[in-house]
Amino acid sequence: MILCIDIGNTNIKYGLFEGDELKVSFRVATDLNRTSDQYGTAIIDMLAVQHIYAADIGGAIISSVVPSLNYTVSHMCSGYLGVEPLLVGAGLKTGHDLRVDNAREVGADRIVNNVAAIRKYGAPAIVIDFGTATTFNVINEKCEFIGGVIAPGIRGSMDSLVSGTAKLPRVEIETPKSVIGKNTVTNMQAGLVFGFAGLVDYIVKKIRREMKRPDMPVIATGGFSEIIAKEISCIGVVDKLLTLQGLKYLYDLNAEGKK
């Protein structure tokens, strides 16, 4: 089995693959203060619930946008699972060209999403990830990443709204029945859900216009992708497993190169 690890600013997502089949996935909160031992005992316990043990794991790959956790999680893999993980970054073969000003600035998660989208859905495409930030990746017909957009994330926007005001409460991010809220909670939900739906719809229209491709496919992933996709017609596919599947593909690509 191959363990794929996506280290994000808010959560760390784990996916365990047997061949091309995702056997189990789970997530934990990203915590910069946790040690490799704490992450290691947590993952051993979570795997044991599924009757999966360290000896069952034959390899691992990590995508990270939190550099300070790279050593911690890598050390956890070697110490608790007995595998030396691959790390998405310089030196790892991706089969994906980055036509941007500085390729080293591109987040590993964006590269992984692009690779998975091209493999599963083809190119050109717009890939939107509703994570801590909302990212739009533009892939041309040559399967090259040519740039994109980074916008605030939905949860981060709510956190900013709550922390910057005296009376606004933290709310569940869900779609209200009407855009015209009747109380503070539904007012905030309308602003968050419909506001981000409008943001996504407008940015996609602008990208399609610049690319001269009015029907350019849009693939969405991330925690709030389904909520937003229900409000606008431009998102054609919601794929919550896109990042983990991209990691598995990259592991296979680089493992083959070592044979």
Side-chain angles (χ1 to χ4, degrees), residues 136-187:
F136 298 72
N137 300 347
V138 183
I139 305 168
N140 67 15
E141 66 280 355
K142 297 179 182 178
C143 298
E144 299 167 334
F145 174 56
I146 60 169
V149 176
I150 300 176
I154 298 178
R155 190 174 298 281
S157 294
M158 181 185 69
D159 292 342
S160 177
L161 194 61
V162 172
S163 64
T165 57
K167 296 182 67 176
L168 293 182
R170 193 169 300 278
V171 300
E172 287 294 322
I173 299 175
E174 57 186 27
T175 308
K177 293 180 180 179
S178 170
V179 71
I180 305 172
K182 297 294 186 181
N183 53 58
T184 299
V185 170
T186 54
N187 270 252

mmCIF file of all heavy atoms in Angstrom, residues 136-187:
data_model
loop_
_atom_site.group_PDB
_atom_site.id
_atom_site.type_symbol
_atom_site.label_atom_id
_atom_site.label_comp_id
_atom_site.label_asym_id
_atom_site.label_seq_id
_atom_site.Cartn_x
_atom_site.Cartn_y
_atom_site.Cartn_z
ATOM 1 N N PHE A 136 -7.184 29.141 -8.412
ATOM 2 C CA PHE A 136 -7.622 28.829 -9.777
ATOM 3 C C PHE A 136 -6.364 28.537 -10.593
ATOM 4 O O PHE A 136 -5.488 29.402 -10.703
ATOM 5 C CB PHE A 136 -8.348 30.018 -10.405
ATOM 6 C CG PHE A 136 -9.603 30.451 -9.698
ATOM 7 C CD1 PHE A 136 -9.545 31.094 -8.467
ATOM 8 C CD2 PHE A 136 -10.853 30.245 -10.283
ATOM 9 C CE1 PHE A 136 -10.702 31.518 -7.824
ATOM 10 C CE2 PHE A 136 -12.016 30.669 -9.644
ATOM 11 C CZ PHE A 136 -11.945 31.300 -8.414
ATOM 12 N N ASN A 137 -6.258 27.353 -11.127
ATOM 13 C CA ASN A 137 -5.117 26.975 -11.964
ATOM 14 C C ASN A 137 -5.575 26.899 -13.416
ATOM 15 O O ASN A 137 -6.580 26.235 -13.709
ATOM 16 C CB ASN A 137 -4.558 25.609 -11.564
ATOM 17 C CG ASN A 137 -4.070 25.576 -10.135
ATOM 18 O OD1 ASN A 137 -3.922 26.609 -9.493
ATOM 19 N ND2 ASN A 137 -3.814 24.386 -9.626
ATOM 20 N N VAL A 138 -4.829 27.533 -14.310
ATOM 21 C CA VAL A 138 -5.177 27.520 -15.731
ATOM 22 C C VAL A 138 -4.181 26.634 -16.473
ATOM 23 O O VAL A 138 -2.969 26.882 -16.451
ATOM 24 C CB VAL A 138 -5.167 28.948 -16.311
ATOM 25 C CG1 VAL A 138 -5.595 28.918 -17.783
ATOM 26 C CG2 VAL A 138 -6.094 29.857 -15.507
ATOM 27 N N ILE A 139 -4.708 25.605 -17.120
ATOM 28 C CA ILE A 139 -3.897 24.648 -17.875
ATOM 29 C C ILE A 139 -4.262 24.786 -19.346
ATOM 30 O O ILE A 139 -5.444 24.711 -19.709
ATOM 31 C CB ILE A 139 -4.168 23.201 -17.409
ATOM 32 C CG1 ILE A 139 -3.937 23.079 -15.900
ATOM 33 C CG2 ILE A 139 -3.294 22.216 -18.173
ATOM 34 C CD1 ILE A 139 -4.463 21.786 -15.310
ATOM 35 N N ASN A 140 -3.255 25.007 -20.200
ATOM 36 C CA ASN A 140 -3.553 25.176 -21.622
ATOM 37 C C ASN A 140 -3.655 23.833 -22.347
ATOM 38 O O ASN A 140 -3.511 22.767 -21.736
ATOM 39 C CB ASN A 140 -2.529 26.107 -22.292
ATOM 40 C CG ASN A 140 -1.123 25.506 -22.341
ATOM 41 O OD1 ASN A 140 -0.914 24.307 -22.141
ATOM 42 N ND2 ASN A 140 -0.140 26.347 -22.614
ATOM 43 N N GLU A 141 -3.889 23.910 -23.657
ATOM 44 C CA GLU A 141 -4.099 22.691 -24.444
ATOM 45 C C GLU A 141 -2.843 21.841 -24.553
ATOM 46 O O GLU A 141 -2.909 20.654 -24.909
ATOM 47 C CB GLU A 141 -4.617 23.044 -25.847
ATOM 48 C CG GLU A 141 -3.644 23.800 -26.727
ATOM 49 C CD GLU A 141 -3.605 25.301 -26.408
ATOM 50 O OE1 GLU A 141 -4.410 25.765 -25.571
ATOM 51 O OE2 GLU A 141 -2.760 26.000 -27.006
ATOM 52 N N LYS A 142 -1.666 22.418 -24.216
ATOM 53 C CA LYS A 142 -0.414 21.654 -24.220
ATOM 54 C C LYS A 142 -0.134 21.017 -22.866
ATOM 55 O O LYS A 142 0.968 20.522 -22.630
ATOM 56 C CB LYS A 142 0.748 22.574 -24.607
ATOM 57 C CG LYS A 142 0.654 23.156 -26.005
ATOM 58 C CD LYS A 142 1.835 24.073 -26.284
ATOM 59 C CE LYS A 142 1.741 24.697 -27.661
ATOM 60 N NZ LYS A 142 2.870 25.627 -27.923
ATOM 61 N N CYS A 143 -1.112 21.062 -21.971
ATOM 62 C CA CYS A 143 -0.982 20.518 -20.614
ATOM 63 C C CYS A 143 0.029 21.294 -19.776
ATOM 64 O O CYS A 143 0.654 20.747 -18.861
ATOM 65 C CB CYS A 143 -0.620 19.031 -20.643
ATOM 66 S SG CYS A 143 -1.855 17.998 -21.445
ATOM 67 N N GLU A 144 0.197 22.578 -20.064
ATOM 68 C CA GLU A 144 1.112 23.437 -19.318
ATOM 69 C C GLU A 144 0.321 24.317 -18.347
ATOM 70 O O GLU A 144 -0.750 24.826 -18.686
ATOM 71 C CB GLU A 144 1.895 24.341 -20.272
ATOM 72 C CG GLU A 144 2.748 23.596 -21.272
ATOM 73 C CD GLU A 144 3.247 24.498 -22.385
ATOM 74 O OE1 GLU A 144 2.598 25.521 -22.690
ATOM 75 O OE2 GLU A 144 4.303 24.165 -22.968
ATOM 76 N N PHE A 145 0.870 24.489 -17.139
ATOM 77 C CA PHE A 145 0.292 25.427 -16.173
ATOM 78 C C PHE A 145 0.796 26.818 -16.533
ATOM 79 O O PHE A 145 1.995 27.091 -16.472
ATOM 80 C CB PHE A 145 0.712 25.045 -14.758
ATOM 81 C CG PHE A 145 0.298 26.036 -13.699
ATOM 82 C CD1 PHE A 145 -1.022 26.403 -13.543
ATOM 83 C CD2 PHE A 145 1.246 26.601 -12.858
ATOM 84 C CE1 PHE A 145 -1.411 27.313 -12.567
ATOM 85 C CE2 PHE A 145 0.885 27.511 -11.873
ATOM 86 C CZ PHE A 145 -0.453 27.868 -11.733
ATOM 87 N N ILE A 146 -0.117 27.717 -16.921
ATOM 88 C CA ILE A 146 0.308 29.032 -17.402
ATOM 89 C C ILE A 146 -0.008 30.148 -16.404
ATOM 90 O O ILE A 146 0.231 31.326 -16.683
ATOM 91 C CB ILE A 146 -0.325 29.354 -18.764
ATOM 92 C CG1 ILE A 146 -1.858 29.371 -18.678
ATOM 93 C CG2 ILE A 146 0.155 28.370 -19.820
ATOM 94 C CD1 ILE A 146 -2.527 29.929 -19.922
ATOM 95 N N GLY A 147 -0.523 29.796 -15.222
ATOM 96 C CA GLY A 147 -0.809 30.802 -14.207
ATOM 97 C C GLY A 147 -2.186 30.608 -13.604
ATOM 98 O O GLY A 147 -2.827 29.585 -13.816
ATOM 99 N N GLY A 148 -2.632 31.595 -12.869
ATOM 100 C CA GLY A 148 -3.941 31.453 -12.243
ATOM 101 C C GLY A 148 -4.263 32.588 -11.301
ATOM 102 O O GLY A 148 -3.782 33.716 -11.463
ATOM 103 N N VAL A 149 -5.066 32.262 -10.307
ATOM 104 C CA VAL A 149 -5.578 33.250 -9.361
ATOM 105 C C VAL A 149 -5.514 32.658 -7.960
ATOM 106 O O VAL A 149 -5.793 31.466 -7.778
ATOM 107 C CB VAL A 149 -7.050 33.612 -9.688
ATOM 108 C CG1 VAL A 149 -7.623 34.575 -8.657
ATOM 109 C CG2 VAL A 149 -7.166 34.193 -11.097
ATOM 110 N N ILE A 150 -5.140 33.473 -6.986
ATOM 111 C CA ILE A 150 -5.242 33.086 -5.581
ATOM 112 C C ILE A 150 -6.175 34.080 -4.899
ATOM 113 O O ILE A 150 -5.888 35.282 -4.862
ATOM 114 C CB ILE A 150 -3.881 33.070 -4.868
ATOM 115 C CG1 ILE A 150 -2.920 32.086 -5.541
ATOM 116 C CG2 ILE A 150 -4.058 32.706 -3.386
ATOM 117 C CD1 ILE A 150 -1.520 32.092 -4.949
ATOM 118 N N ALA A 151 -7.295 33.583 -4.397
ATOM 119 C CA ALA A 151 -8.283 34.412 -3.699
ATOM 120 C C ALA A 151 -8.394 33.923 -2.257
ATOM 121 O O ALA A 151 -7.927 32.825 -1.923
ATOM 122 C CB ALA A 151 -9.638 34.315 -4.401
ATOM 123 N N PRO A 152 -9.005 34.703 -1.376
ATOM 124 C CA PRO A 152 -9.194 34.241 0.009
ATOM 125 C C PRO A 152 -9.999 32.946 0.060
ATOM 126 O O PRO A 152 -10.786 32.646 -0.845
ATOM 127 C CB PRO A 152 -9.959 35.395 0.666
ATOM 128 C CG PRO A 152 -9.682 36.577 -0.187
ATOM 129 C CD PRO A 152 -9.547 36.054 -1.587
ATOM 130 N N GLY A 153 -9.806 32.192 1.110
ATOM 131 C CA GLY A 153 -10.612 30.999 1.333
ATOM 132 C C GLY A 153 -11.909 31.348 2.044
ATOM 133 O O GLY A 153 -12.016 32.397 2.694
ATOM 134 N N ILE A 154 -12.885 30.467 1.940
ATOM 135 C CA ILE A 154 -14.190 30.749 2.539
ATOM 136 C C ILE A 154 -14.097 30.779 4.064
ATOM 137 O O ILE A 154 -14.583 31.711 4.710
ATOM 138 C CB ILE A 154 -15.224 29.695 2.077
ATOM 139 C CG1 ILE A 154 -15.398 29.768 0.562
ATOM 140 C CG2 ILE A 154 -16.569 29.911 2.782
ATOM 141 C CD1 ILE A 154 -16.362 28.742 -0.003
ATOM 142 N N ARG A 155 -13.473 29.763 4.642
ATOM 143 C CA ARG A 155 -13.399 29.731 6.105
ATOM 144 C C ARG A 155 -12.544 30.876 6.635
ATOM 145 O O ARG A 155 -12.867 31.492 7.653
ATOM 146 C CB ARG A 155 -12.856 28.389 6.586
ATOM 147 C CG ARG A 155 -12.978 28.213 8.105
ATOM 148 C CD ARG A 155 -12.583 26.827 8.543
ATOM 149 N NE ARG A 155 -13.430 25.798 7.982
ATOM 150 C CZ ARG A 155 -14.639 25.503 8.437
ATOM 151 N NH1 ARG A 155 -15.162 26.179 9.438
ATOM 152 N NH2 ARG A 155 -15.342 24.530 7.873
ATOM 153 N N GLY A 156 -11.461 31.189 5.952
ATOM 154 C CA GLY A 156 -10.619 32.295 6.379
ATOM 155 C C GLY A 156 -11.355 33.622 6.313
ATOM 156 O O GLY A 156 -11.152 34.506 7.159
ATOM 157 N N SER A 157 -12.215 33.759 5.320
ATOM 158 C CA SER A 157 -13.012 34.980 5.211
ATOM 159 C C SER A 157 -13.974 35.103 6.387
ATOM 160 O O SER A 157 -14.171 36.191 6.932
ATOM 161 C CB SER A 157 -13.787 34.987 3.893
ATOM 162 O OG SER A 157 -12.899 35.058 2.794
ATOM 163 N N MET A 158 -14.566 33.975 6.767
ATOM 164 C CA MET A 158 -15.457 34.012 7.919
ATOM 165 C C MET A 158 -14.667 34.342 9.190
ATOM 166 O O MET A 158 -15.112 35.156 10.012
ATOM 167 C CB MET A 158 -16.182 32.678 8.109
ATOM 168 C CG MET A 158 -17.144 32.701 9.299
ATOM 169 S SD MET A 158 -17.922 31.114 9.643
ATOM 170 C CE MET A 158 -16.534 30.165 10.232
ATOM 171 N N ASP A 159 -13.501 33.747 9.354
ATOM 172 C CA ASP A 159 -12.684 34.019 10.535
ATOM 173 C C ASP A 159 -12.332 35.502 10.621
ATOM 174 O O ASP A 159 -12.363 36.104 11.699
ATOM 175 C CB ASP A 159 -11.401 33.185 10.491
ATOM 176 C CG ASP A 159 -11.664 31.700 10.667
ATOM 177 O OD1 ASP A 159 -12.757 31.342 11.155
ATOM 178 O OD2 ASP A 159 -10.782 30.892 10.311
ATOM 179 N N SER A 160 -12.005 36.087 9.490
ATOM 180 C CA SER A 160 -11.670 37.508 9.454
ATOM 181 C C SER A 160 -12.878 38.363 9.827
ATOM 182 O O SER A 160 -12.756 39.343 10.575
ATOM 183 C CB SER A 160 -11.174 37.880 8.058
ATOM 184 O OG SER A 160 -10.907 39.260 7.956
ATOM 185 N N LEU A 161 -14.042 37.977 9.323
ATOM 186 C CA LEU A 161 -15.272 38.707 9.611
ATOM 187 C C LEU A 161 -15.593 38.657 11.105
ATOM 188 O O LEU A 161 -15.939 39.667 11.722
ATOM 189 C CB LEU A 161 -16.417 38.095 8.794
ATOM 190 C CG LEU A 161 -17.733 38.863 8.673
ATOM 191 C CD1 LEU A 161 -17.515 40.204 8.001
ATOM 192 C CD2 LEU A 161 -18.742 38.025 7.884
ATOM 193 N N VAL A 162 -15.441 37.469 11.686
ATOM 194 C CA VAL A 162 -15.774 37.289 13.103
ATOM 195 C C VAL A 162 -14.761 38.010 14.003
ATOM 196 O O VAL A 162 -15.132 38.706 14.955
ATOM 197 C CB VAL A 162 -15.836 35.786 13.455
ATOM 198 C CG1 VAL A 162 -15.981 35.593 14.962
ATOM 199 C CG2 VAL A 162 -17.004 35.131 12.722
ATOM 200 N N SER A 163 -13.481 37.855 13.694
ATOM 201 C CA SER A 163 -12.458 38.446 14.552
ATOM 202 C C SER A 163 -12.405 39.967 14.431
ATOM 203 O O SER A 163 -11.956 40.654 15.352
ATOM 204 C CB SER A 163 -11.081 37.856 14.222
ATOM 205 O OG SER A 163 -10.701 38.193 12.901
ATOM 206 N N GLY A 164 -12.870 40.487 13.302
ATOM 207 C CA GLY A 164 -12.794 41.923 13.091
ATOM 208 C C GLY A 164 -14.029 42.692 13.523
ATOM 209 O O GLY A 164 -14.077 43.915 13.373
ATOM 210 N N THR A 165 -15.011 41.971 14.073
ATOM 211 C CA THR A 165 -16.240 42.632 14.525
ATOM 212 C C THR A 165 -16.556 42.208 15.954
ATOM 213 O O THR A 165 -16.103 41.160 16.418
ATOM 214 C CB THR A 165 -17.436 42.258 13.618
ATOM 215 O OG1 THR A 165 -17.591 40.839 13.612
ATOM 216 C CG2 THR A 165 -17.221 42.740 12.191
ATOM 217 N N ALA A 166 -17.366 43.002 16.626
ATOM 218 C CA ALA A 166 -17.656 42.729 18.040
ATOM 219 C C ALA A 166 -18.843 41.796 18.235
ATOM 220 O O ALA A 166 -18.904 41.069 19.230
ATOM 221 C CB ALA A 166 -17.914 44.047 18.770
ATOM 222 N N LYS A 167 -19.772 41.777 17.285
ATOM 223 C CA LYS A 167 -21.035 41.071 17.537
ATOM 224 C C LYS A 167 -21.319 39.919 16.584
ATOM 225 O O LYS A 167 -22.267 39.166 16.812
ATOM 226 C CB LYS A 167 -22.201 42.065 17.489
ATOM 227 C CG LYS A 167 -22.142 43.135 18.582
ATOM 228 C CD LYS A 167 -23.336 44.063 18.521
ATOM 229 C CE LYS A 167 -24.630 43.351 18.878
ATOM 230 N NZ LYS A 167 -25.784 44.283 18.903
ATOM 231 N N LEU A 168 -20.542 39.784 15.500
ATOM 232 C CA LEU A 168 -20.848 38.723 14.538
ATOM 233 C C LEU A 168 -20.354 37.372 15.053
ATOM 234 O O LEU A 168 -19.192 37.243 15.448
ATOM 235 C CB LEU A 168 -20.226 39.032 13.178
ATOM 236 C CG LEU A 168 -20.811 40.240 12.449
ATOM 237 C CD1 LEU A 168 -20.139 40.419 11.098
ATOM 238 C CD2 LEU A 168 -22.325 40.111 12.284
ATOM 239 N N PRO A 169 -21.216 36.348 15.029
ATOM 240 C CA PRO A 169 -20.843 35.036 15.560
ATOM 241 C C PRO A 169 -20.200 34.159 14.486
ATOM 242 O O PRO A 169 -20.296 34.439 13.291
ATOM 243 C CB PRO A 169 -22.204 34.452 15.963
ATOM 244 C CG PRO A 169 -23.145 35.008 14.923
ATOM 245 C CD PRO A 169 -22.644 36.410 14.639
ATOM 246 N N ARG A 170 -19.557 33.101 14.928
ATOM 247 C CA ARG A 170 -19.074 32.083 13.995
ATOM 248 C C ARG A 170 -20.260 31.226 13.570
ATOM 249 O O ARG A 170 -21.072 30.826 14.400
ATOM 250 C CB ARG A 170 -18.013 31.222 14.676
ATOM 251 C CG ARG A 170 -17.211 30.343 13.729
ATOM 252 C CD ARG A 170 -16.026 29.738 14.464
ATOM 253 N NE ARG A 170 -15.151 30.774 14.983
ATOM 254 C CZ ARG A 170 -14.229 31.399 14.255
ATOM 255 N NH1 ARG A 170 -14.061 31.087 12.987
ATOM 256 N NH2 ARG A 170 -13.473 32.329 14.804
ATOM 257 N N VAL A 171 -20.394 30.957 12.272
ATOM 258 C CA VAL A 171 -21.566 30.241 11.770
ATOM 259 C C VAL A 171 -21.136 29.021 10.965
ATOM 260 O O VAL A 171 -19.986 28.916 10.521
ATOM 261 C CB VAL A 171 -22.444 31.156 10.879
ATOM 262 C CG1 VAL A 171 -22.924 32.367 11.662
ATOM 263 C CG2 VAL A 171 -21.700 31.582 9.611
ATOM 264 N N GLU A 172 -22.065 28.090 10.796
ATOM 265 C CA GLU A 172 -21.848 26.971 9.892
ATOM 266 C C GLU A 172 -21.894 27.488 8.462
ATOM 267 O O GLU A 172 -22.776 28.279 8.106
ATOM 268 C CB GLU A 172 -22.930 25.899 10.080
ATOM 269 C CG GLU A 172 -22.793 25.091 11.355
ATOM 270 C CD GLU A 172 -21.547 24.228 11.358
ATOM 271 O OE1 GLU A 172 -21.197 23.682 10.288
ATOM 272 O OE2 GLU A 172 -20.909 24.107 12.421
ATOM 273 N N ILE A 173 -20.945 27.061 7.644
ATOM 274 C CA ILE A 173 -20.936 27.508 6.253
ATOM 275 C C ILE A 173 -21.828 26.574 5.447
ATOM 276 O O ILE A 173 -21.444 25.465 5.071
ATOM 277 C CB ILE A 173 -19.501 27.535 5.693
ATOM 278 C CG1 ILE A 173 -18.654 28.511 6.518
ATOM 279 C CG2 ILE A 173 -19.513 27.955 4.226
ATOM 280 C CD1 ILE A 173 -17.196 28.531 6.144
ATOM 281 N N GLU A 174 -23.059 27.015 5.229
ATOM 282 C CA GLU A 174 -24.033 26.258 4.459
ATOM 283 C C GLU A 174 -24.927 27.236 3.711
ATOM 284 O O GLU A 174 -24.989 28.420 4.039
ATOM 285 C CB GLU A 174 -24.861 25.345 5.361
ATOM 286 C CG GLU A 174 -25.585 26.055 6.480
ATOM 287 C CD GLU A 174 -26.268 25.091 7.425
ATOM 288 O OE1 GLU A 174 -25.801 23.938 7.536
ATOM 289 O OE2 GLU A 174 -27.279 25.486 8.036
ATOM 290 N N THR A 175 -25.610 26.733 2.706
ATOM 291 C CA THR A 175 -26.415 27.589 1.844
ATOM 292 C C THR A 175 -27.734 27.951 2.513
ATOM 293 O O THR A 175 -28.519 27.058 2.862
ATOM 294 C CB THR A 175 -26.701 26.891 0.508
ATOM 295 O OG1 THR A 175 -25.477 26.440 -0.057
ATOM 296 C CG2 THR A 175 -27.392 27.840 -0.465
ATOM 297 N N PRO A 176 -28.026 29.239 2.690
ATOM 298 C CA PRO A 176 -29.313 29.638 3.267
ATOM 299 C C PRO A 176 -30.419 29.506 2.215
ATOM 300 O O PRO A 176 -30.146 29.398 1.015
ATOM 301 C CB PRO A 176 -29.093 31.099 3.649
ATOM 302 C CG PRO A 176 -28.070 31.587 2.666
ATOM 303 C CD PRO A 176 -27.165 30.405 2.400
ATOM 304 N N LYS A 177 -31.658 29.514 2.658
ATOM 305 C CA LYS A 177 -32.784 29.343 1.739
ATOM 306 C C LYS A 177 -32.953 30.545 0.814
ATOM 307 O O LYS A 177 -33.489 30.423 -0.281
ATOM 308 C CB LYS A 177 -34.073 29.107 2.533
ATOM 309 C CG LYS A 177 -34.080 27.788 3.291
ATOM 310 C CD LYS A 177 -35.375 27.605 4.071
ATOM 311 C CE LYS A 177 -35.368 26.285 4.823
ATOM 312 N NZ LYS A 177 -36.623 26.089 5.617
ATOM 313 N N SER A 178 -32.526 31.709 1.262
ATOM 314 C CA SER A 178 -32.697 32.925 0.469
ATOM 315 C C SER A 178 -31.450 33.772 0.562
ATOM 316 O O SER A 178 -30.719 33.735 1.556
ATOM 317 C CB SER A 178 -33.900 33.727 0.985
ATOM 318 O OG SER A 178 -33.953 35.008 0.388
ATOM 319 N N VAL A 179 -31.175 34.546 -0.487
ATOM 320 C CA VAL A 179 -30.051 35.479 -0.446
ATOM 321 C C VAL A 179 -30.351 36.635 0.503
ATOM 322 O O VAL A 179 -29.436 37.300 0.981
ATOM 323 C CB VAL A 179 -29.727 36.001 -1.863
ATOM 324 C CG1 VAL A 179 -30.817 36.948 -2.357
ATOM 325 C CG2 VAL A 179 -28.358 36.673 -1.890
ATOM 326 N N ILE A 180 -31.628 36.851 0.789
ATOM 327 C CA ILE A 180 -32.025 37.904 1.723
ATOM 328 C C ILE A 180 -32.163 37.282 3.103
ATOM 329 O O ILE A 180 -33.176 36.649 3.418
ATOM 330 C CB ILE A 180 -33.344 38.576 1.290
ATOM 331 C CG1 ILE A 180 -33.226 39.108 -0.141
ATOM 332 C CG2 ILE A 180 -33.710 39.704 2.258
ATOM 333 C CD1 ILE A 180 -34.538 39.604 -0.721
ATOM 334 N N GLY A 181 -31.136 37.418 3.930
ATOM 335 C CA GLY A 181 -31.160 36.811 5.253
ATOM 336 C C GLY A 181 -32.106 37.519 6.198
ATOM 337 O O GLY A 181 -32.253 38.745 6.156
ATOM 338 N N LYS A 182 -32.727 36.739 7.069
ATOM 339 C CA LYS A 182 -33.683 37.290 8.036
ATOM 340 C C LYS A 182 -33.063 37.456 9.428
ATOM 341 O O LYS A 182 -33.688 37.999 10.325
ATOM 342 C CB LYS A 182 -34.917 36.377 8.129
ATOM 343 C CG LYS A 182 -35.718 36.257 6.838
ATOM 344 C CD LYS A 182 -36.364 37.584 6.453
ATOM 345 C CE LYS A 182 -37.284 37.410 5.246
ATOM 346 N NZ LYS A 182 -37.890 38.702 4.845
ATOM 347 N N ASN A 183 -31.862 36.954 9.609
ATOM 348 C CA ASN A 183 -31.174 37.093 10.894
ATOM 349 C C ASN A 183 -29.675 37.156 10.625
ATOM 350 O O ASN A 183 -29.230 37.003 9.482
ATOM 351 C CB ASN A 183 -31.540 35.937 11.840
ATOM 352 C CG ASN A 183 -31.309 34.587 11.181
ATOM 353 O OD1 ASN A 183 -30.197 34.269 10.757
ATOM 354 N ND2 ASN A 183 -32.367 33.789 11.078
ATOM 355 N N THR A 184 -28.913 37.364 11.663
ATOM 356 C CA THR A 184 -27.468 37.550 11.489
ATOM 357 C C THR A 184 -26.808 36.320 10.865
ATOM 358 O O THR A 184 -25.958 36.438 9.973
ATOM 359 C CB THR A 184 -26.805 37.864 12.845
ATOM 360 O OG1 THR A 184 -27.362 39.069 13.372
ATOM 361 C CG2 THR A 184 -25.301 38.042 12.688
ATOM 362 N N VAL A 185 -27.213 35.145 11.316
ATOM 363 C CA VAL A 185 -26.602 33.911 10.798
ATOM 364 C C VAL A 185 -26.851 33.760 9.308
ATOM 365 O O VAL A 185 -25.923 33.522 8.525
ATOM 366 C CB VAL A 185 -27.125 32.684 11.572
ATOM 367 C CG1 VAL A 185 -26.682 31.388 10.881
ATOM 368 C CG2 VAL A 185 -26.621 32.698 13.007
ATOM 369 N N THR A 186 -28.108 33.889 8.867
ATOM 370 C CA THR A 186 -28.401 33.711 7.439
ATOM 371 C C THR A 186 -27.848 34.858 6.604
ATOM 372 O O THR A 186 -27.506 34.674 5.434
ATOM 373 C CB THR A 186 -29.908 33.544 7.206
ATOM 374 O OG1 THR A 186 -30.610 34.641 7.805
ATOM 375 C CG2 THR A 186 -30.403 32.236 7.794
ATOM 376 N N ASN A 187 -27.738 36.056 7.194
ATOM 377 C CA ASN A 187 -27.074 37.157 6.497
ATOM 378 C C ASN A 187 -25.623 36.788 6.188
ATOM 379 O O ASN A 187 -25.131 36.999 5.074
ATOM 380 C CB ASN A 187 -27.095 38.422 7.368
ATOM 381 C CG ASN A 187 -28.310 39.301 7.152
ATOM 382 O OD1 ASN A 187 -28.206 40.375 6.567
ATOM 383 N ND2 ASN A 187 -29.461 38.859 7.617
#
